[in-house]
mmCIF file of all heavy atoms in Angstrom:
data_model
loop_
_atom_site.group_PDB
_atom_site.id
_atom_site.type_symbol
_atom_site.label_atom_id
_atom_site.label_comp_id
_atom_site.label_asym_id
_atom_site.label_seq_id
_atom_site.Cartn_x
_atom_site.Cartn_y
_atom_site.Cartn_z
ATOM 1 N N GLN A 807 -1.995 -28.435 -15.487
ATOM 2 C CA GLN A 807 -1.978 -29.869 -15.770
ATOM 3 C C GLN A 807 -2.333 -30.126 -17.232
ATOM 4 O O GLN A 807 -1.678 -30.921 -17.918
ATOM 5 C CB GLN A 807 -2.976 -30.574 -14.839
ATOM 6 C CG GLN A 807 -2.835 -32.089 -14.805
ATOM 7 C CD GLN A 807 -1.409 -32.517 -14.435
ATOM 8 O OE1 GLN A 807 -0.871 -32.083 -13.436
ATOM 9 N NE2 GLN A 807 -0.796 -33.356 -15.268
ATOM 10 N N GLU A 808 -3.347 -29.417 -17.696
ATOM 11 C CA GLU A 808 -3.779 -29.565 -19.082
ATOM 12 C C GLU A 808 -2.624 -29.225 -20.035
ATOM 13 O O GLU A 808 -2.378 -29.950 -21.006
ATOM 14 C CB GLU A 808 -4.979 -28.635 -19.341
ATOM 15 C CG GLU A 808 -5.597 -28.801 -20.727
ATOM 16 C CD GLU A 808 -6.444 -27.582 -21.136
ATOM 17 O OE1 GLU A 808 -6.774 -26.751 -20.255
ATOM 18 O OE2 GLU A 808 -6.748 -27.466 -22.331
ATOM 19 N N ALA A 809 -1.907 -28.148 -19.719
ATOM 20 C CA ALA A 809 -0.792 -27.742 -20.573
ATOM 21 C C ALA A 809 0.324 -28.793 -20.534
ATOM 22 O O ALA A 809 0.895 -29.152 -21.569
ATOM 23 C CB ALA A 809 -0.265 -26.375 -20.130
ATOM 24 N N MET A 810 0.612 -29.296 -19.336
ATOM 25 C CA MET A 810 1.674 -30.307 -19.222
ATOM 26 C C MET A 810 1.301 -31.577 -19.984
ATOM 27 O O MET A 810 2.131 -32.162 -20.677
ATOM 28 C CB MET A 810 1.954 -30.620 -17.752
ATOM 29 C CG MET A 810 2.872 -29.592 -17.103
ATOM 30 S SD MET A 810 3.455 -30.111 -15.462
ATOM 31 C CE MET A 810 2.185 -29.443 -14.412
ATOM 32 N N ASP A 811 0.046 -31.979 -19.837
ATOM 33 C CA ASP A 811 -0.429 -33.169 -20.555
ATOM 34 C C ASP A 811 -0.296 -32.959 -22.065
ATOM 35 O O ASP A 811 0.128 -33.856 -22.804
ATOM 36 C CB ASP A 811 -1.889 -33.462 -20.217
ATOM 37 C CG ASP A 811 -2.048 -33.934 -18.778
ATOM 38 O OD1 ASP A 811 -1.016 -34.271 -18.151
ATOM 39 O OD2 ASP A 811 -3.183 -33.942 -18.269
ATOM 40 N N TYR A 812 -0.675 -31.765 -22.496
ATOM 41 C CA TYR A 812 -0.598 -31.462 -23.932
ATOM 42 C C TYR A 812 0.833 -31.640 -24.440
ATOM 43 O O TYR A 812 1.068 -32.301 -25.444
ATOM 44 C CB TYR A 812 -1.083 -30.031 -24.182
ATOM 45 C CG TYR A 812 -0.780 -29.544 -25.580
ATOM 46 C CD1 TYR A 812 -1.639 -29.836 -26.640
ATOM 47 C CD2 TYR A 812 0.381 -28.825 -25.847
ATOM 48 C CE1 TYR A 812 -1.353 -29.418 -27.932
ATOM 49 C CE2 TYR A 812 0.681 -28.401 -27.133
ATOM 50 C CZ TYR A 812 -0.183 -28.701 -28.168
ATOM 51 O OH TYR A 812 0.110 -28.293 -29.445
ATOM 52 N N TYR A 813 1.777 -31.056 -23.710
ATOM 53 C CA TYR A 813 3.167 -31.135 -24.172
ATOM 54 C C TYR A 813 3.711 -32.553 -24.109
ATOM 55 O O TYR A 813 4.477 -32.974 -24.972
ATOM 56 C CB TYR A 813 4.068 -30.176 -23.367
ATOM 57 C CG TYR A 813 3.937 -28.737 -23.821
ATOM 58 C CD1 TYR A 813 3.510 -27.757 -22.950
ATOM 59 C CD2 TYR A 813 4.226 -28.387 -25.144
ATOM 60 C CE1 TYR A 813 3.383 -26.433 -23.372
ATOM 61 C CE2 TYR A 813 4.094 -27.066 -25.567
ATOM 62 C CZ TYR A 813 3.674 -26.099 -24.684
ATOM 63 O OH TYR A 813 3.550 -24.809 -25.110
ATOM 64 N N ARG A 814 3.315 -33.289 -23.054
ATOM 65 C CA ARG A 814 3.801 -34.663 -22.947
ATOM 66 C C ARG A 814 3.348 -35.475 -24.154
ATOM 67 O O ARG A 814 4.134 -36.167 -24.796
ATOM 68 C CB ARG A 814 3.323 -35.313 -21.642
ATOM 69 C CG ARG A 814 4.084 -36.584 -21.315
ATOM 70 C CD ARG A 814 3.804 -37.135 -19.921
ATOM 71 N NE ARG A 814 2.405 -37.060 -19.578
ATOM 72 C CZ ARG A 814 1.920 -36.286 -18.586
ATOM 73 N NH1 ARG A 814 2.725 -35.564 -17.853
ATOM 74 N NH2 ARG A 814 0.630 -36.266 -18.331
ATOM 75 N N GLN A 815 2.072 -35.327 -24.481
ATOM 76 C CA GLN A 815 1.549 -36.058 -25.630
ATOM 77 C C GLN A 815 2.170 -35.551 -26.937
ATOM 78 O O GLN A 815 2.519 -36.332 -27.818
ATOM 79 C CB GLN A 815 0.019 -35.944 -25.693
ATOM 80 C CG GLN A 815 -0.674 -36.811 -24.633
ATOM 81 C CD GLN A 815 -2.111 -36.347 -24.370
ATOM 82 O OE1 GLN A 815 -2.691 -35.642 -25.193
ATOM 83 N NE2 GLN A 815 -2.657 -36.736 -23.228
ATOM 84 N N ALA A 816 2.287 -34.224 -27.047
ATOM 85 C CA ALA A 816 2.793 -33.631 -28.283
ATOM 86 C C ALA A 816 4.233 -34.064 -28.556
ATOM 87 O O ALA A 816 4.598 -34.381 -29.690
ATOM 88 C CB ALA A 816 2.697 -32.112 -28.211
ATOM 89 N N ARG A 817 5.031 -34.076 -27.497
ATOM 90 C CA ARG A 817 6.428 -34.451 -27.677
ATOM 91 C C ARG A 817 6.582 -35.886 -28.161
ATOM 92 O O ARG A 817 7.565 -36.235 -28.817
ATOM 93 C CB ARG A 817 7.208 -34.273 -26.368
ATOM 94 C CG ARG A 817 7.787 -32.875 -26.203
ATOM 95 C CD ARG A 817 8.754 -32.805 -25.036
ATOM 96 N NE ARG A 817 8.085 -33.013 -23.750
ATOM 97 C CZ ARG A 817 7.580 -32.033 -23.000
ATOM 98 N NH1 ARG A 817 7.680 -30.777 -23.388
ATOM 99 N NH2 ARG A 817 6.973 -32.297 -21.876
ATOM 100 N N ALA A 818 5.575 -36.702 -27.826
ATOM 101 C CA ALA A 818 5.638 -38.103 -28.236
ATOM 102 C C ALA A 818 5.306 -38.275 -29.721
ATOM 103 O O ALA A 818 5.628 -39.281 -30.338
ATOM 104 C CB ALA A 818 4.677 -38.938 -27.381
ATOM 105 N N ARG A 819 4.630 -37.257 -30.278
ATOM 106 C CA ARG A 819 4.238 -37.357 -31.692
ATOM 107 C C ARG A 819 5.444 -37.146 -32.596
ATOM 108 O O ARG A 819 6.339 -36.345 -32.296
ATOM 109 C CB ARG A 819 3.180 -36.293 -32.021
ATOM 110 C CG ARG A 819 1.781 -36.639 -31.560
ATOM 111 C CD ARG A 819 0.747 -35.835 -32.357
ATOM 112 N NE ARG A 819 1.044 -34.408 -32.402
ATOM 113 C CZ ARG A 819 0.555 -33.514 -31.536
ATOM 114 N NH1 ARG A 819 -0.247 -33.909 -30.559
ATOM 115 N NH2 ARG A 819 0.876 -32.235 -31.652
ATOM 116 N N ARG A 820 5.439 -37.820 -33.721
ATOM 117 C CA ARG A 820 6.575 -37.716 -34.637
ATOM 118 C C ARG A 820 6.702 -36.326 -35.244
ATOM 119 O O ARG A 820 7.799 -35.872 -35.545
ATOM 120 C CB ARG A 820 6.455 -38.755 -35.751
ATOM 121 C CG ARG A 820 6.841 -40.153 -35.272
ATOM 122 C CD ARG A 820 7.028 -41.075 -36.449
ATOM 123 N NE ARG A 820 7.929 -40.511 -37.451
ATOM 124 C CZ ARG A 820 7.891 -40.857 -38.745
ATOM 125 N NH1 ARG A 820 7.014 -41.730 -39.178
ATOM 126 N NH2 ARG A 820 8.746 -40.322 -39.591
ATOM 127 N N ASP A 821 5.547 -35.654 -35.447
ATOM 128 C CA ASP A 821 5.612 -34.350 -36.113
ATOM 129 C C ASP A 821 5.803 -33.179 -35.149
ATOM 130 O O ASP A 821 5.651 -32.030 -35.530
ATOM 131 C CB ASP A 821 4.356 -34.123 -36.964
ATOM 132 C CG ASP A 821 3.103 -33.990 -36.115
ATOM 133 O OD1 ASP A 821 3.138 -34.379 -34.914
ATOM 134 O OD2 ASP A 821 2.092 -33.498 -36.631
ATOM 135 N N PHE A 822 6.130 -33.453 -33.876
ATOM 136 C CA PHE A 822 6.356 -32.355 -32.925
ATOM 137 C C PHE A 822 7.585 -31.568 -33.383
ATOM 138 O O PHE A 822 8.653 -32.145 -33.610
ATOM 139 C CB PHE A 822 6.568 -32.907 -31.510
ATOM 140 C CG PHE A 822 6.680 -31.810 -30.478
ATOM 141 C CD1 PHE A 822 5.563 -31.060 -30.118
ATOM 142 C CD2 PHE A 822 7.899 -31.527 -29.873
ATOM 143 C CE1 PHE A 822 5.657 -30.058 -29.173
ATOM 144 C CE2 PHE A 822 8.005 -30.514 -28.931
ATOM 145 C CZ PHE A 822 6.877 -29.771 -28.586
ATOM 146 N N PRO A 823 7.443 -30.270 -33.550
ATOM 147 C CA PRO A 823 8.558 -29.505 -34.136
ATOM 148 C C PRO A 823 9.802 -29.482 -33.250
ATOM 149 O O PRO A 823 9.720 -29.451 -32.027
ATOM 150 C CB PRO A 823 7.978 -28.091 -34.284
ATOM 151 C CG PRO A 823 6.798 -28.036 -33.385
ATOM 152 C CD PRO A 823 6.263 -29.440 -33.280
ATOM 153 N N VAL A 824 10.917 -29.502 -33.900
ATOM 154 C CA VAL A 824 12.208 -29.374 -33.218
ATOM 155 C C VAL A 824 12.401 -27.904 -32.848
ATOM 156 O O VAL A 824 12.002 -27.012 -33.590
ATOM 157 C CB VAL A 824 13.353 -29.784 -34.184
ATOM 158 C CG1 VAL A 824 14.698 -29.735 -33.461
ATOM 159 C CG2 VAL A 824 13.077 -31.153 -34.763
#
Side-chain angles (χ1 to χ4, degrees):
Chain A
Q807 193 55 53
E808 185 199 345
M810 279 191 270
D811 291 346
Y812 169 85
Y813 282 120
R814 195 170 42 245
Q815 286 160 19
R817 272 190 294 269
R819 282 201 310 267
R820 283 193 51 205
D821 67 344
F822 185 71
V824 183

